[in-house]
């Protein structure tokens, strides 16, 4: 069974984003970019399934600028076999719906049994692509996955939900979106990073897949959230206890 | 006026609080209809009909809807959407699971996790872990929206006199089945609706220490218990305790962060709390930048002492 893994190049999770002074977007010039942490977990899961002999080939795909090649090389260094970059111009944001349509088109060509991706990208925080891909393919979805077990024609997914954990059984092919505790991604070893450089990476365009990437949501402006007023420090536990009493909670 | 269909989150027994905020958002867009889908949930529909501001309740009762499997529920919703201009769901794990599936079936780009309604198709929403607020306008013919529960007031649960309409169709795609769930039962208030939350971080060492330190303080305050990702990853508490960008979004009257450093992903989930209290032994910890009241102290002496004094 083939697995498709979708990865996105995003701002590194350790960087605090800055809004451009004209309010048109977030300043990403000279900012450290990385593979979306949830997508890294998705890649790791696919690689583990390959190591278990469940998955035979892993195709990593990314929709993004030329530099998203680096993100795909990360996935290849972790263990993906080949990659497809669906390239768009720098500074073009492709919305989840359009990404899902591209993934659907690639799925039609590649016929994977599993499509794995992160549950959300930490830049736009949309949490949509996996569910949308599943909808367009008419296949089931195991979102916010905490544990994934392939059993014959099915995949059993433990999902992190608001009240705890839920288990669902899905017919393959299926879409899985990774939550934080699905696994701990490996660090790619130096030899694997070197090897990744010669793995195949095809470059396509949204046009090639017949997908219109014109945005449906117009970004009117971006701004900072209201700042919190400066607080105080109390000297000791007694002062904190009185403060709680004043707040009327103790 | 626009007609809006709201997903009612429930457990076949009662309407979940997050729904009430979604209803408030929906009424700002137009006429709010509710969809109650489930098995044996007629009681939920009756309760839903009493919520203030609701025009009509659509009740789809069938075994295939018992566990809100998106594969079955999404076609139900899309079949109803020919009569509606917008679909609104709370941004809960269920809402986040279902809404994008509906959006894709309708060829609509969803607006996730809205904070406010600025116009008929204009909304604000948090991006970059809430460090940036975007104002976006949809150009789609229909809207699909999820609503951040802490950003809207809750609709009143009484005063409404909506009629209940039965929906006959049962969509069973046979693609998925519910196997089971592990839902922790707790006497404590629910995290997303609690007035007071005590949250613990990595500093709490292990499950026993977390319990022995955080639980007594929470009990005295009648508080819900939360945690950082680090505390959940380390197994001190279950996953549903996690507060943050990718956990629960909370905004209680008082949030007490104990041994939590204040990473942006954690702040994303709690920085709209009315009063933030931080206890940390490192006076440079970023949590103090958002705290209204800070105490620089070793939590292992401070928390038991505080618990004694209140
Ligand atoms: C994609 C992604 C998503 C994430 N989502 C979330 C999320 O939703 N929620 C979340 O919380 N995190 C999230 N994180 C993780 C986040 O980046 C931090 O790693 C995490 O919040 C740290 O948890 P912590 O504050 O408990 O631990 P640490 O950062 O290790 O902080 C521990 C704190 O305890 C203090 N301390 C230690 N001993 C004592 C003592 N004896 N007395 C008093 N204080 C003491 C230390 O000074 C320190 O400040 C996410 C990360 C990524 C990459």
């Amino acid at each position: 069974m083939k697995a498709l893994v979708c990865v996105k190049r995003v701002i590194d999770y350790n960087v605090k984003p800055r809004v451009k002074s004209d309010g048109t977007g977030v300043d990403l010039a000279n900012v450290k970019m990385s593979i979306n942490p949830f997508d890294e977990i998705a890649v790791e899961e696919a690689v583990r399934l390959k190591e278990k002999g469940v998955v035979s080939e892993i195709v990593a795909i990314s929709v993004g600028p030329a530099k998203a090649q680096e993100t795909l090389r990360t996935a290849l260094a972790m263990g993906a076999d080949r990659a497809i970059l669906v390239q768009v111009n720098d500074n073009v944001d492709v919305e989840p719906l359009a990404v899902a349509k591209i993934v659907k088109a690639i799925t039609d060509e590649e016929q994977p049994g599993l499509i794995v991706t992160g549950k959300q990208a930490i830049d736009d925080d949309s949490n949509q692509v996996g569910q949308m891909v599943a909808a367009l393919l008419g296949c089931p979805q195991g979102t916010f996955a905490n544990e994934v077990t392939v059993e014959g024609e099915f995949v059993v997914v433990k999902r992190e939900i608001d009240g705890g954990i839920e288990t669902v059984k899905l017919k393959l092919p299926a879409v899985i979106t990774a939550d934080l505790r699905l696994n701990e991604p490996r660090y790619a070893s130096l030899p694997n990073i070197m090897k990744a450089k010669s793995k195949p990476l095809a470059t396509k365009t949204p046009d090639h897949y017949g997908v219109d990437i014109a945005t449906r949501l117009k970004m009117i402006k971006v701004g900072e959230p209201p700042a919190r007023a400066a607080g105080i420090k109390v000297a000791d536990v007694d002062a904190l206890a009185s403060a709680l009493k004043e707040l009327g909670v103790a | 006026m626009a007609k809006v269909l709201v997903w009612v989150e429930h457990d076949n027994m009662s309407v979940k609080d997050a729904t009430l905020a979604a209803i408030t958002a929906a009424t700002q867009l137009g006429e709010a209809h509710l969809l109650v889908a489930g098995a044996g949930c007629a009681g939920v529909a009756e309760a839903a009909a009493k919520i203030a501001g609701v025009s009509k309740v659509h009740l789809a009762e069938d075994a295939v809807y018992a566990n809100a499997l998106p594969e079955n529920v999404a076609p139900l919703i899309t079949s109803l959407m020919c009569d509606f201009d917008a679909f609104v769901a709370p941004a809960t794990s269920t809402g986040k699971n279902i809404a994008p599936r509906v959006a894709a079936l309708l060829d609509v780009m969803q607006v996730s996790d809205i904070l406010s309604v600025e116009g008929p198709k204009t909304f604000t929403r948090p991006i970059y872990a809430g460090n940036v607020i975007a104002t976006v306008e949809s150009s789609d013919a229909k809207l699909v929206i999820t609503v951040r529960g802490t950003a809207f007031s809750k609709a009143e649960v009484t005063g409404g006199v909506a009629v209940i309409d039965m929906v006959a169709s049962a969509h069973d795609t046979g693609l998925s089945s519910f196997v089971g769930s592990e839902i922790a039962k707790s006497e404590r208030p629910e995290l997303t609706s609690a007035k007071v939350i005590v949250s613990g971080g990595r500093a709490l060492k292990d499950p026993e220490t977390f319990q022995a330190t955080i639980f007594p303080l929470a009990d005295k305050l009648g508080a819900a218990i939360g945690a950082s990702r680090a505390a959940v990853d380390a197994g001190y508490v279950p996953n549903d305790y996690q507060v943050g960008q990718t956990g629960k979004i909370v905004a209680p009257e008082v949030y007490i962060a104990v041994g939590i450093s204040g990473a942006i992903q954690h702040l994303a989930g709690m920085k709209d709390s009315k009063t933030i209290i931080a206890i940390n032994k490192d006076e440079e910890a970023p949590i103090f930048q958002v705290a209204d009241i800070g105490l620089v102290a070793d939590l292992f002496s401070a928390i038991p002492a505080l618990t004694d004094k209140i």
Side-chain angles (χ1 to χ4, degrees), chain A residues 143 162 167 216 228 238, chain B residues 97 137 140 180 248 271 309:
Chain A
T143 53
D162 289 343
T167 308
R216 307 282 192 90
R228 290 189 72 97
D238 284 334
Chain B
N97 197 26
E137 184 182 8
D140 284 316
K248 294 220 167 79
K271 70 177 166 158
K309 287 211 164 75

Side-chain angles (χ1 to χ4, degrees), chain A residues 11 13 16-17 32 54 63 75 86 102 121 133 185 207-208 245 247:
Chain A
I11 190 169
Y13 79 97
K16 191 169 157 45
K32 183 176 178 210
V54 175
V63 179
V86 181
I102 292 169
V133 171
D207 271 351
H208 172 83
K245 281 179 192 142
L247 286 167

Side-chain angles (χ1 to χ4, degrees), chain B residues 13-174:
Chain B
M13 317 254 279
S14 59
V15 176
K16 295 275 179 195
D17 258 14
T19 312
L20 302 174
I23 292 171
T24 301
T27 53
Q28 293 178 13
L29 285 167
E31 186 184 313
H33 289 225
L34 308 187
L35 171 61
V36 175
C41 57
V44 175
E46 273 159 37
K50 296 198 181 84
I51 298 171
V54 172
S55 303
K56 200 184 243 184
V57 175
H58 303 262
L59 171 60
E61 262 199 292
D62 195 288
V64 300
Y65 303 134
N67 299 292
L69 291 171
E71 295 78 10
N72 295 347
V73 162
L76 165 69
I77 295 164
T78 47
S79 70
L80 295 171
M81 280 305 288
C82 46
D83 293 328
F84 291 93
D85 304 292
F87 174 68
V88 169
T92 55
S93 54
T94 312
K96 290 190 273 197
N97 197 26
I98 293 170
R101 192 164 177 113
V102 171
L105 293 174
L106 296 172
D107 194 31
V108 166
M109 175 54 209
Q110 172 179 312
V111 189
S112 294
D113 216 14
I114 64 163
L115 300 172
S116 68
V117 177
E118 301 290 321
K121 294 201 165 189
T122 309
F123 309 92
T124 62
R125 59 174 304 263
I127 55 176
Y128 292 89
N131 284 294
V132 181
I133 308 296
T135 306
V136 295
E137 184 182 8
S138 169
S139 61
D140 284 316
K142 290 183 196 283
L143 295 168
V144 175
I145 293 165
T146 61
V147 175
R148 176 166 288 201
T150 54
F152 289 84
S153 61
K154 293 188 177 99
E156 296 291 337
V157 292
T158 54
V161 285
V163 291
I164 301 176
D165 225 19
M166 302 298 281
V167 182
S169 65
H171 296 266
D172 185 6
T173 55

Side-chain angles (χ1 to χ4, degrees), chain A residues 73-146:
Chain A
R73 292 287 172 207
T74 305
L76 293 168
M78 289 175 71
D81 298 291
R82 60 189 170 88
I84 302 170
L85 171 63
V86 181
Q87 194 175 324
V88 297
N89 289 335
D90 288 1
N91 306 321
V92 168
D93 281 326
V94 187
E95 290 172 344
L97 181 62
V99 171
K101 288 177 181 176
I102 292 169
V103 176
K104 149 97 170 64
I106 296 177
T107 301
D108 289 343
E109 282 180 6
E110 298 279 348
Q111 299 290 321
L114 274 177
I115 298 140
V116 197
T117 188
K119 77 164 177 179
Q120 78 191 63
I122 61 163
D123 51 1
D124 63 28
D125 282 332
S126 286
N127 194 330
Q128 297 177 10
V129 168
Q131 296 89 316
M132 287 182 157
V133 171
L136 298 177
L137 290 170
C139 74
Q141 64 191 51
T143 53
F144 326 146
N146 173 285

Side-chain angles (χ1 to χ4, degrees), chain B residues 201-203 228-230 242-244 246 259 261 265-266 280-281 299:
Chain B
R202 193 195 312 267
S228 71
R229 174 195 174 180
Q242 182 179 314
V243 171
T246 57
S261 62
Q265 293 87 4
H266 188 79
N280 197 302
K281 69 175 182 191
L299 73 92

Side-chain angles (χ1 to χ4, degrees), chain B residues 195-251:
Chain B
K195 279 183 67 183
V196 182
I197 295 174
V198 182
S199 271
R202 193 195 312 267
L204 274 308
K205 281 192 185 132
D206 51 46
E208 295 72 33
T209 313
F210 193 105
Q211 279 188 22
T213 317
I214 300 293
F215 285 27
L217 177 60
D219 287 341
K220 270 224 167 149
L221 297 171
I225 294 171
S228 71
R229 174 195 174 180
V232 176
D233 282 2
Y236 305 172
V237 287
N239 64 282
D240 48 298
Y241 285 49
Q242 182 179 314
V243 171
Q245 178 185 18
T246 57
K248 294 220 167 79
I249 308 292
V250 301

